[in-house]
Amino acid sequence: MKASTNVNLPKARKKKINWKSYIPLYLMALPALIYLFINNYMPLYGMQIAFRELDFSGSIFDGKFVWFDNFKFLFTTDDAWIMTRNTVLYNLLFIVVGTIFAIVVSILFNEIISKKLAKAYQSAILIPYFISMVIVSYLGFAFLSSETGFINHSILKPLGIDPVSWYSEPKYWPFILLFVNTWKGIGYSLLLYTARILTISSDYYEAAKIDGATKFQQIMNITLPLLKPVIILMTILAIGRIFYSDFGLFYQVPMNSGALYDSTTTIDTYSFRALMKLGDITMSTATGVYQSFVGFILVVASNMVLRKYSKEDSLF
Amino acid sequence: MIDIKERKWSIAGHILMIILSVLAIAPFILLLMSSITDETAALRNGYSFFPEKFSLDAYKYIAGQWEVIGKAYLVSIFVTVVGTIVGVLISAMLAYTLSKPDLPGRSLLMFLLIFTMLFNGGLTATYIVYTQIFHIKDTIFGLLLPNLLMNAYFVVMFKNYFEYTLPAALVESARIDGATEFRVFRSIAIPLSMPMFVTVGMTTALTYWNDWTNGMYFLSTNSKIQSVQTILNNINENIKFLQQNNVGTAVSTADLPSVTIRMAIAIVGILPMLALFPIFQKWFVKGATAGAVKE
């Protein structure tokens, strides 16, 4: 925990602090601090596995230090390129398409006058958000399985189109994953954006109407500019997480199918497979260290942007 | 007064939302229909919205397997309840401590918390610590521990809530009356922050109920403490294994519950979530919108 020395402790002038009176407060903080130590700080020590040679005879902390050899090996493989490309491109795709779609949906949703129907719609499209990725993969399998899937059996077959073996054709997966991600998340995005739209004073719209502005002009000149802060905020936050992916989405939905690895492997699924399926602990740790370091730089950078732009939304 | 041009926008809104609603719900209906289809019809016609022959055999089978499924339910409920209560409580207590502006060492504690949001050891390093040092493999802690203090962001939310919305005069007078810090937390901070507790609690509970990753990492396949999601995931793993190894169908059907049974188990796994959905949704909307409209 070298980094903690960077923090400015309270200055010595506060000598009169009655430490005793704070003991109960420290005790209250203790359980969470112990947990953070176990769950978040001890793994930092475990990161050294990435810099060691795997020692089959004893503990993983006994292997000889080989420093960056594991990383050199990782980055000479195609895997490193593929998983980085996929993670970043999928995130960019999700950010761009997801945001535009969410805005369109929220704006049109806002035009629905009937409160009852609006609530019904909102409930319906929020349901997928509450379902685990395992169940989502069951749903996906019901649609995509090659012999019994709904799409092959009930749509393509009657149309006289040859069935597609979805789970072995990488080219379809960017679309499928984008669809599933949007399907699962749109309800939540709608919540966030409509919450902001509702705070826009109706005075603006009234004034615009008196001036003869069309609905489209109102959207372009009032709604969108006022939504801009939320859009930028969400985008910066998402960019900060661009090196991380939804493990469940990329592992469960493609059913971890080997034929699809080219278009479904992300840093998270690669790390998982290296650990659980191949037992390659050093490679998996090296991947994790790579992700953590680049992720850290991105989070700190996006936070710096955020702080300039909107101080109260920044982390620190 | 709504003129025709405005109505167009409203109609477009209805059309879009109807399409989205159908897309959101249709997969669940397909799942439900498949679960009440006769097995041979299901194999012949695949997953269908209009099965040609209905049968409740899959549910009868599950009822027969109740020892397994019921136990998984108990495990899921236990993990969700305990994980949520303990997780929310330790988060709130840390947040309460951090909400005292004059606390010595506050910025250090704050840094230790925020740092966990910025940098982590990664999957493998965490896995190694839990399995090699704490030996949580195949124990109930494997399902509980890794999510316990789920998100440092919740602690920050709690901290801000305590710091800015708890009436300082009320806390002060309680202290003068001799209340201990813990008493103030229990009798003032918790009751006055109930919306916060419920919102964070709901999100945590949702994560615990839906979690299948911890079961995959920390439980072996024949473990006796599988949760509902872990069972669903194990079935999935078997399907994946069979697909990737192209084992003959004779072997595959022996190992795997049939299509309709699989779908019935999935329905049983979703059911509690759907039953509680209205309550979840209410608090969830409150929490999400409260976060979105802060200015």
Side-chain angles (χ1 to χ4, degrees), chain A residues 3-4 7-8 10 17 19 22 24-26 28-29 31-33 35-36 38-44 46-47 49 60 101 105 108-109 111-113 117 121 123-135 137-139 141-143 148-150 153-154 183 188 190-192 195-196 199 209 215-216 219 244 247-248 251-252 255-258 271-272 275-277 281 284-285 292-293 296 299 312-313 315-316, chain B residues 2 6 9-10 13-14 16-18 20-21 23-25 27-28 30-31 43-47 49 90 93-94 96-97 100 102-105 107-109 111-130 132-134 145-149 181-182 185 206 210 212-213 216-217 229 232-233 235-237 239-240 243-244 262 266 270 273-274 277 280-281 284-285 288-289 292-294:
Chain A
S4 61
V7 174
N8 294 323
I17 290 172
W19 282 86
Y22 287 105
L25 282 170
Y26 290 125
M28 282 171 75
L33 291 174
Y35 180 75
L36 288 179
I38 292 172
N39 188 64
N40 298 82
Y41 286 99
M42 283 178 73
L44 297 188
M47 285 173 111
I49 299 163
I60 23 176
F101 188 62
V105 173
L108 284 177
F109 177 76
E111 298 302 325
I112 291 168
I113 299 137
L117 278 176
Y121 295 144
S123 302
I125 73 165
L126 196 57
I127 288 177
Y129 186 85
F130 287 84
I131 302 300
S132 83
M133 266 306 170
V134 186
I135 304 273
S137 85
Y138 276 66
L139 300 176
F141 195 72
F143 280 91
T148 47
F150 180 76
H153 211 283
S154 301
W183 177 81
Y188 187 67
L190 178 72
L191 266 183
L192 293 183
R196 195 46 163 266
T199 62
K209 260 187 235 167
K215 199 94 220 181
F216 187 72
I219 288 166
Y244 292 87
F247 174 68
Y251 177 80
Q252 286 289 356
M255 302 290 267
N256 194 26
S257 165
S271 183
F272 167 81
L275 171 68
M276 302 299 278
K277 305 276 145 133
I281 292 173
S284 177
T285 319
S292 293
F293 270 95
F296 175 72
V299 172
E312 78 268 24
D313 287 310
L315 271 177
F316 49 87
Chain B
I2 306 155
E6 297 222 344
W9 285 86
S10 176
H14 279 288
L16 181 68
M17 293 312 290
I18 288 170
L20 289 179
S21 304
L23 284 176
I25 294 169
F28 297 101
L30 185 65
L31 199 67
L43 283 174
R44 195 168 352 105
N45 296 332
Y47 296 90
F49 284 99
I90 64 172
M93 289 198 307
L94 173 62
Y96 183 74
T97 303
K100 303 287 171 189
D102 52 346
L103 182 87
S107 51
L108 171 71
L109 294 184
F111 175 83
L112 288 176
L113 177 74
I114 297 286
F115 186 73
T116 63
M117 293 158 90
L118 303 176
F119 195 81
N120 65 75
L123 163 73
T124 316
T126 311
Y127 176 82
I128 298 285
V129 166
Y130 274 129
Q132 307 265 324
I133 299 175
F134 292 100
L145 276 183
N147 288 346
L148 202 52
L149 199 159
E181 219 42 92
F182 196 79
F185 176 72
L206 187 72
N210 278 342
W212 49 274
T213 48
M216 186 164 70
Y217 291 133
Q229 306 287 341
L232 287 168
N233 183 49
I235 296 172
N236 241 355
E237 293 291 318
I239 298 175
K240 287 171 203 165
Q243 275 190 335
Q244 283 182 17
R262 260 154 33 206
I270 294 176
M273 201 83 272
L274 288 188
F277 181 72
F280 268 113
Q281 193 201 6
F284 206 74
V285 171
T289 45
V293 290
K294 76 167 181 193

Side-chain angles (χ1 to χ4, degrees), chain A residues 15 29 44 56 80-81 115-116 163 170 172 178 198 203 239 241 245 249 304:
Chain A
K15 266 179 195 158
L44 297 188
F56 289 98
W81 158 244
K115 285 276 163 293
K116 261 189 187 163
Y172 299 116
L178 176 66
L198 285 175
D203 294 353
I239 288 173
R241 302 282 306 166
S245 60
L249 176 69
M304 272 162 63

Side-chain angles (χ1 to χ4, degrees), chain A residues 252-268:
Chain A
Q252 286 289 356
V253 181
M255 302 290 267
N256 194 26
S257 165
L260 303 176
Y261 284 172
D262 239 17
S263 62
T264 59
T265 299
T266 62
I267 300 174
D268 299 271

